[in-house]
Amino acid sequence: MLGEKEGMDINYVAHLARIDLTEEETTLFQGQLEQVLHYVEQLDEIDVSGVEPTAHAFPVYNILRKDEMGQSLGHSAVIANAPAASDGEIRVPKIIDQ
Amino acid sequence: MDDLHKLTITELSEKLAAGGCTSVGIVKDVLAVIDANDGKVGAYLTVDRDSALEQARAADVARAAGVTSPLLGIPIAIKDLLNVKGQPCTCSSKILEGYIAPYDATVIAKLREVGAVLLGRVNMDEFAMGSSTENSALGKTHNPWNLGHVPGGSSGGSAACVVADEAIASLGSDTGGSIRQPAAFCGCVGVKPTYGRVSRYGLTAFASSLDQIGPLTKTVKDSAILLETLCGHDKLDSSSIEMDVPTFSENLTSDTSLVGMKLGLPKEYFVKGMDSEVEKAVRDAVEHCKSLGAEIIDVSLPHSKYAIAVYYIIATAEASANLARFDGIRYGLRIDGKDPLELYKKTRAAGFGSEVKRRIILGTYVLSSGYYDAYYKRAQKVRTLIRNDFTEVFKQCDAILAPVTPTPAYKLGEKTNDPLEMYLDDILTTPTNLAGNCALSLPCGFSSGGLPIGLQIIGDSFDEQTILKVGHAYEQTTKWHKQKPEL
Amino acid sequence: MKYEATIGLETHIMQKTASKMFCACEYEYGAAPNTHVCPVCLGYPGALPMMNEKAIELCCKAGLLLDCEINSHSKWDRKNYFYPDMAKNYQITQADEPLCLGGHLEVDVNGELKTFTLERIHQEENAAKNTHVAGASLVDYNRAGTALMEIVSNPCMHSSEDALAYLASLKQIMEYGEISDCNPEKGQIRSDVNVSVRPVGQKELGSKVEIKNMNSFAFIQQAIEYEIDRQTSLLESGGAIVQETRGFDSDRGETFSQRTKENAHDYRYFPEPDLMPVKISTEQVELWRSELPELPVQRRTRYVNELGLPEYDAGVLTADKATSDWFERAMQHTKNAKAASNFVMGEMMRLLSEQDFSISESKVTPEKLAEIIALIDAKTISTGAGKQVFEIIFNEGGEPKKIVEEKGMTQVSDDSALESWADDAIAANPRPVEEYKAGNTASINFLMGQVMKASRGKANPGAVMQVLKKKLDAFC
Ligand SMILES: [Mg+2]
Ligand SMILES: [Zn+2]
């Protein structure tokens, strides 16, 4: 399964991660990450059939909260943290559906 | 200077109770040390002088009014990824420029409750990604034992400040060894509690299923005292477990016998390429425990060798989502763009350092369409095998003895060009994060170059008491922890 | 060649909870922007989600109302995509283990009973609200993180009528079940619509086109019809359908391409490490089932079988939950179901249609209607007077008995008064009297009108009829 892995298309992945990379970074990371990916291929050696995946170190269930209203943050603190705001809302460049 | 800065929590709290000093006195003394030494060590990002003195005065007033707590009036440094209300929380990143935390992390609230003094915030690898604190965007931290060497990471500032007497204790976080490794490199005690013991609420997440907050202190008993306050269920963190927290420190007595204790020695932890001085110091420590009455048995954790591969898939995958929120919209740095897409890409390009970018890209890749099963899901399954190894071993012994790191602290800049090489250094610490159990690191010797070496004591889930007991017995009968660097 | 359309809906419904899905912030429609927000729903560093037990309960109850199977084990996943309305840039949702599986709805589509099947219902969190101003967009995070469930139908519908009937029924059930108010204007019910077209007889479905996020039922209908036409003509002219996401331009009534398969999202789903899985026991499911409110179908049957109402009345009364609930309350105070039904379907609906408030805000309360009906049944007032009283209260408020007294509406059944009015009417109108005697019995109605006029509406019509008959027949 892992043998079929193709090389990483770093520009596509950087786009997914919403990070502009310089050409220098692209080349550097490509090389470094391919090394890392090569290293992790050792996991292919292990027979994991029938093994359940671990998502939580200590599995517990139904950790619920009562449906009760609590304290919200002060509006001014929210706006003070925002890089740009108008009329109490957080301002962003025009959203065009991509 | 009163030399109060040299004392431990245990000693200071006795002195405070006896009226031998005041909290204001301690804080002033520690601030003087910071002024004298931090120019060289570089542990702090911000020292909250005025606020610390004010908290100290309040602690003294409380004490006069009859309030007692071992942490009342004790100055503690905070790794800068914990939210402290009204203060910045930079995570040593440019991307959080301008962010002011509007709330207290649960551990911060707990420290405030017992009257500890929040002294300031210390340096780290950006978003806790790194093993040398060289990935900080906000400054360099040096190993107090040799300023040309790294303090370890990511809690490098937390370890360095304690060892340099610039704080009595500190808080760090450990995702793959980030408390234990700097503790070993700098020569102090560091504990990674069991996953779920300490609330993560308010801890800026690196890898949610691995992160734990823990103490860095001068002694094992001091760590026990801090743990008593930090541990416990929190209704704000679903992963925090409802379980009684023992009064760890009360169970640490002057009795240093380890008779009846079975300690496991995993052959996989003495890895190829391990520094011979490190191996010798750890093996000596094992002998020492034997001399205290412990029975040493050989154990095996066969899947440990896969821990790095599993760790770098799971941790980066979780991180890629956890760090998506740093987007320049609601807080922090923003580099504007013609549309949100351009804003995101520019902001994140300018705001994140190389290691963070590298890990986000790796994590994004292993989750991306067509690769999830091959990387992420497979890593989660191997994680199960690593956990099972520990479950088996803890049927045979009470705790495990091992090195923390394959080498002592290396030189600044020595490994920055080879991420994989730096990742491999986490081989002895990551298995515990993947399995979720607890471990501590404490000094067990020095290299010929004068750098500290750490002993790792790994415990079963929720059995912090046992590793504290073994560590305390070892510490009481050795002198490594008494040595101080000259600055 | 003939073509057929296949339609599936993904319907997002905001649940009736006091606080948001993963934090304790309140949600209040129309509140000042960014006033119901906290570190969790703003995606601040270090904040962690905690699941709202009421939302889980409502999602499962919705599932039970729709005959879903409640999953004994379900879990949370992160769905990664960057968008300013998604604070963490991932949505907490349920990918492969949702709370509810399967399920179906029986719907009357233009008189034909159809069954539409469901794939699943999962719980997730809502996004914030964007508005667009000149050169920028503004984000209000008040709605971010509110409890939202997604009901996913199978591709089992074939026309806009199917889809609208399905949605109307879904909305009605969710309202009855007190899962959601389902107010489309408030965005409490929104749908993504998948439309594909294939030649009749072809087994596999055509390429799927998804039209995103519509809250108006009218727009959904237009969008579906436009898409079916567009895809059919494209196929007829030998073209191929591209799998894509389209938006709906309500001004032009057209859909437009937004995103093709090539640049589709890569959501990178993975298990949410911050939330623990949910286990639901059969005991819990049975407890929830026992708490389920009566659905419109069940109410309709009960109105017919137990209250003896005509099918038609039962249908009208149960169409809307607020009306039906009001009627239920009235029935706690009167046994005359038909009279209550007549008043609700007649006076109440007529008067409400001229106002913009709901039945629950009417000045005529169920108790007052019951009093009016009691006055009529006791023959204290006529039915006509009862309608007048209803209208007076509807417009001005007041107590039925007081109004009847003040306006002198009490019926006269007293024989002596009636007899004198009857004698006057007979004496003054010889022609109708002659006609009656000649066998044209309908002429009595004219005389009756005269008596009612003389009594200024207070005479009891039944009694007047008897007196007139007695007198006229005596002449024969
Ligand atoms: Mg959805
Ligand atoms: Zn909130």
mmCIF file of all heavy atoms in Angstrom, chain C residues 401-421:
data_model
loop_
_atom_site.group_PDB
_atom_site.id
_atom_site.type_symbol
_atom_site.label_atom_id
_atom_site.label_comp_id
_atom_site.label_asym_id
_atom_site.label_seq_id
_atom_site.Cartn_x
_atom_site.Cartn_y
_atom_site.Cartn_z
ATOM 1 N N LYS C 401 -68.487 36.870 28.553
ATOM 2 C CA LYS C 401 -69.754 37.100 29.266
ATOM 3 C C LYS C 401 -70.068 38.581 29.379
ATOM 4 O O LYS C 401 -71.192 39.031 29.170
ATOM 5 C CB LYS C 401 -69.677 36.485 30.664
ATOM 6 C CG LYS C 401 -70.058 35.009 30.633
ATOM 7 C CD LYS C 401 -70.368 34.483 32.031
ATOM 8 C CE LYS C 401 -70.641 33.002 31.955
ATOM 9 N NZ LYS C 401 -69.610 32.211 32.683
ATOM 10 N N LYS C 402 -69.033 39.345 29.702
ATOM 11 C CA LYS C 402 -69.202 40.786 29.870
ATOM 12 C C LYS C 402 -69.656 41.425 28.561
ATOM 13 O O LYS C 402 -70.547 42.276 28.545
ATOM 14 C CB LYS C 402 -67.862 41.406 30.268
ATOM 15 C CG LYS C 402 -67.830 41.866 31.707
ATOM 16 C CD LYS C 402 -66.568 42.665 31.940
ATOM 17 C CE LYS C 402 -66.663 43.468 33.216
ATOM 18 N NZ LYS C 402 -65.346 44.020 33.548
ATOM 19 N N ILE C 403 -69.021 41.009 27.474
ATOM 20 C CA ILE C 403 -69.358 41.585 26.176
ATOM 21 C C ILE C 403 -70.808 41.268 25.827
ATOM 22 O O ILE C 403 -71.568 42.135 25.385
ATOM 23 C CB ILE C 403 -68.398 41.063 25.084
ATOM 24 C CG1 ILE C 403 -66.998 41.598 25.356
ATOM 25 C CG2 ILE C 403 -68.866 41.448 23.684
ATOM 26 C CD1 ILE C 403 -65.893 40.942 24.565
ATOM 27 N N VAL C 404 -71.232 40.035 26.059
ATOM 28 C CA VAL C 404 -72.600 39.615 25.765
ATOM 29 C C VAL C 404 -73.582 40.482 26.546
ATOM 30 O O VAL C 404 -74.575 40.992 26.018
ATOM 31 C CB VAL C 404 -72.785 38.121 26.093
ATOM 32 C CG1 VAL C 404 -74.265 37.750 26.120
ATOM 33 C CG2 VAL C 404 -72.040 37.269 25.078
ATOM 34 N N GLU C 405 -73.262 40.710 27.835
ATOM 35 C CA GLU C 405 -74.138 41.542 28.680
ATOM 36 C C GLU C 405 -74.156 42.984 28.190
ATOM 37 O O GLU C 405 -75.211 43.560 27.946
ATOM 38 C CB GLU C 405 -73.653 41.522 30.124
ATOM 39 C CG GLU C 405 -74.199 40.346 30.903
ATOM 40 C CD GLU C 405 -73.486 40.184 32.234
ATOM 41 O OE1 GLU C 405 -73.042 41.208 32.811
ATOM 42 O OE2 GLU C 405 -73.333 39.015 32.655
ATOM 43 N N GLU C 406 -72.956 43.543 28.033
ATOM 44 C CA GLU C 406 -72.868 44.948 27.647
ATOM 45 C C GLU C 406 -73.567 45.224 26.317
ATOM 46 O O GLU C 406 -74.205 46.244 26.153
ATOM 47 C CB GLU C 406 -71.397 45.366 27.526
ATOM 48 C CG GLU C 406 -70.762 45.674 28.876
ATOM 49 C CD GLU C 406 -69.249 45.805 28.772
ATOM 50 O OE1 GLU C 406 -68.751 45.939 27.627
ATOM 51 O OE2 GLU C 406 -68.600 45.776 29.829
ATOM 52 N N LYS C 407 -73.397 44.303 25.381
ATOM 53 C CA LYS C 407 -73.977 44.539 24.053
ATOM 54 C C LYS C 407 -75.395 43.995 23.953
ATOM 55 O O LYS C 407 -75.985 43.991 22.874
ATOM 56 C CB LYS C 407 -73.106 43.883 22.973
ATOM 57 C CG LYS C 407 -71.639 44.258 23.064
ATOM 58 C CD LYS C 407 -71.213 45.211 21.940
ATOM 59 C CE LYS C 407 -69.799 45.702 22.230
ATOM 60 N NZ LYS C 407 -69.360 46.770 21.370
ATOM 61 N N GLY C 408 -75.924 43.457 25.060
ATOM 62 C CA GLY C 408 -77.278 42.943 25.051
ATOM 63 C C GLY C 408 -77.501 41.846 24.031
ATOM 64 O O GLY C 408 -78.453 41.885 23.245
ATOM 65 N N MET C 409 -76.615 40.924 24.019
ATOM 66 C CA MET C 409 -76.682 39.889 22.997
ATOM 67 C C MET C 409 -77.422 38.633 23.435
ATOM 68 O O MET C 409 -77.579 37.693 22.652
ATOM 69 C CB MET C 409 -75.268 39.482 22.591
ATOM 70 C CG MET C 409 -74.570 40.546 21.763
ATOM 71 S SD MET C 409 -72.859 40.106 21.644
ATOM 72 C CE MET C 409 -72.477 40.834 20.070
ATOM 73 N N THR C 410 -77.900 38.646 24.674
ATOM 74 C CA THR C 410 -78.557 37.450 25.185
ATOM 75 C C THR C 410 -79.767 37.098 24.336
ATOM 76 O O THR C 410 -80.563 37.957 23.957
ATOM 77 C CB THR C 410 -79.009 37.685 26.642
ATOM 78 O OG1 THR C 410 -77.911 38.247 27.339
ATOM 79 C CG2 THR C 410 -79.453 36.398 27.285
ATOM 80 N N GLN C 411 -79.901 35.838 23.989
ATOM 81 C CA GLN C 411 -80.992 35.380 23.140
ATOM 82 C C GLN C 411 -82.318 35.416 23.886
ATOM 83 O O GLN C 411 -82.384 35.162 25.083
ATOM 84 C CB GLN C 411 -80.748 33.916 22.738
ATOM 85 C CG GLN C 411 -79.800 33.780 21.605
ATOM 86 C CD GLN C 411 -79.760 32.352 21.121
ATOM 87 O OE1 GLN C 411 -79.739 32.125 19.942
ATOM 88 N NE2 GLN C 411 -79.781 31.393 22.025
ATOM 89 N N VAL C 412 -83.377 35.712 23.187
ATOM 90 C CA VAL C 412 -84.688 35.652 23.782
ATOM 91 C C VAL C 412 -85.367 34.349 23.357
ATOM 92 O O VAL C 412 -85.557 34.102 22.177
ATOM 93 C CB VAL C 412 -85.542 36.859 23.354
ATOM 94 C CG1 VAL C 412 -86.914 36.787 23.999
ATOM 95 C CG2 VAL C 412 -84.838 38.144 23.725
ATOM 96 N N SER C 413 -85.676 33.514 24.323
ATOM 97 C CA SER C 413 -86.390 32.275 24.017
ATOM 98 C C SER C 413 -87.761 32.286 24.685
ATOM 99 O O SER C 413 -88.562 31.357 24.539
ATOM 100 C CB SER C 413 -85.608 31.062 24.536
ATOM 101 O OG SER C 413 -84.291 31.144 24.090
ATOM 102 N N ASP C 414 -87.988 33.369 25.401
ATOM 103 C CA ASP C 414 -89.211 33.495 26.187
ATOM 104 C C ASP C 414 -90.418 33.567 25.247
ATOM 105 O O ASP C 414 -90.495 34.430 24.365
ATOM 106 C CB ASP C 414 -89.085 34.779 27.036
ATOM 107 C CG ASP C 414 -90.383 35.146 27.678
ATOM 108 O OD1 ASP C 414 -91.093 34.212 28.093
ATOM 109 O OD2 ASP C 414 -90.682 36.351 27.721
ATOM 110 N N ASP C 415 -91.394 32.626 25.404
ATOM 111 C CA ASP C 415 -92.489 32.468 24.457
ATOM 112 C C ASP C 415 -93.378 33.709 24.299
ATOM 113 O O ASP C 415 -93.765 34.060 23.190
ATOM 114 C CB ASP C 415 -93.381 31.286 24.870
ATOM 115 C CG ASP C 415 -92.725 29.990 24.410
ATOM 116 O OD1 ASP C 415 -91.724 30.093 23.658
ATOM 117 O OD2 ASP C 415 -93.189 28.911 24.803
ATOM 118 N N SER C 416 -93.644 34.406 25.423
ATOM 119 C CA SER C 416 -94.584 35.525 25.316
ATOM 120 C C SER C 416 -94.039 36.636 24.431
ATOM 121 O O SER C 416 -94.744 37.180 23.578
ATOM 122 C CB SER C 416 -94.917 36.071 26.707
ATOM 123 O OG SER C 416 -93.743 36.535 27.313
ATOM 124 N N ALA C 417 -92.695 36.924 24.614
ATOM 125 C CA ALA C 417 -92.102 37.958 23.778
ATOM 126 C C ALA C 417 -92.107 37.509 22.324
ATOM 127 O O ALA C 417 -92.470 38.271 21.418
ATOM 128 C CB ALA C 417 -90.674 38.249 24.223
ATOM 129 N N LEU C 418 -91.758 36.215 22.109
ATOM 130 C CA LEU C 418 -91.701 35.706 20.752
ATOM 131 C C LEU C 418 -93.092 35.727 20.106
ATOM 132 O O LEU C 418 -93.243 36.086 18.940
ATOM 133 C CB LEU C 418 -91.155 34.277 20.736
ATOM 134 C CG LEU C 418 -89.677 34.118 21.139
ATOM 135 C CD1 LEU C 418 -89.272 32.652 21.005
ATOM 136 C CD2 LEU C 418 -88.774 35.007 20.293
ATOM 137 N N GLU C 419 -94.094 35.348 20.899
ATOM 138 C CA GLU C 419 -95.435 35.287 20.338
ATOM 139 C C GLU C 419 -95.937 36.653 19.897
ATOM 140 O O GLU C 419 -96.544 36.792 18.829
ATOM 141 C CB GLU C 419 -96.407 34.653 21.340
ATOM 142 C CG GLU C 419 -96.350 33.137 21.214
ATOM 143 C CD GLU C 419 -97.323 32.404 22.090
ATOM 144 O OE1 GLU C 419 -98.487 32.884 22.194
ATOM 145 O OE2 GLU C 419 -96.932 31.366 22.661
ATOM 146 N N SER C 420 -95.615 37.666 20.672
ATOM 147 C CA SER C 420 -96.104 38.981 20.283
ATOM 148 C C SER C 420 -95.406 39.456 19.007
ATOM 149 O O SER C 420 -96.023 40.023 18.116
ATOM 150 C CB SER C 420 -95.962 39.971 21.439
ATOM 151 O OG SER C 420 -94.882 40.828 21.252
ATOM 152 N N TRP C 421 -94.025 39.135 18.889
ATOM 153 C CA TRP C 421 -93.321 39.497 17.643
ATOM 154 C C TRP C 421 -93.901 38.704 16.468
ATOM 155 O O TRP C 421 -94.101 39.235 15.375
ATOM 156 C CB TRP C 421 -91.814 39.206 17.755
ATOM 157 C CG TRP C 421 -91.066 40.259 18.537
ATOM 158 C CD1 TRP C 421 -91.305 41.592 18.534
ATOM 159 C CD2 TRP C 421 -89.970 40.016 19.408
ATOM 160 N NE1 TRP C 421 -90.423 42.230 19.363
ATOM 161 C CE2 TRP C 421 -89.585 41.283 19.921
ATOM 162 C CE3 TRP C 421 -89.285 38.872 19.833
ATOM 163 C CZ2 TRP C 421 -88.532 41.433 20.822
ATOM 164 C CZ3 TRP C 421 -88.224 39.038 20.713
ATOM 165 C CH2 TRP C 421 -87.852 40.299 21.211
#
